[in-house]
Amino acid sequence: MAAASSNLVLVAAAPVAVVLWLRAVLRAWQGRQPLLPALPAAAWWGIGVALAVFALWRNLPVPLGEWLAP
């Protein structure tokens, strides 16, 4: 839990990265072209906005964001 309080985005993104990497390795081992997931532009904007809100919320002294602070 200590890692989650300091690196919540990394803790959440690590399993996704591992699954995508394993999928690419499996496809390459089978002789197929490794594929990356194609996301629509709205999804990339949503991810960017979510990360920006997280960064702001984590660094502001608001009552609900205290547990996010490093």
Side-chain angles (χ1 to χ4, degrees):
M1 193 62 175
S5 69
S6 296
N7 303 307
L8 191 59
V9 172
L10 178 64
V11 170
V16 174
V18 168
V19 168
L20 291 175
W21 178 75
L22 287 174
R23 194 174 93 179
V25 168
L26 179 63
R27 287 183 62 87
W29 186 53
Q30 293 172 342
R32 299 187 300 174
Q33 182 71 19
L35 296 176
L36 293 176
L39 294 176
W44 287 113
W45 277 103
I47 291 169
V49 168
L51 289 174
V53 167
F54 171 78
L56 287 172
W57 190 6
R58 181 177 187 211
N59 292 306
L60 290 176
V62 294
L64 294 176
E66 289 175 353
W67 66 277
L68 293 173

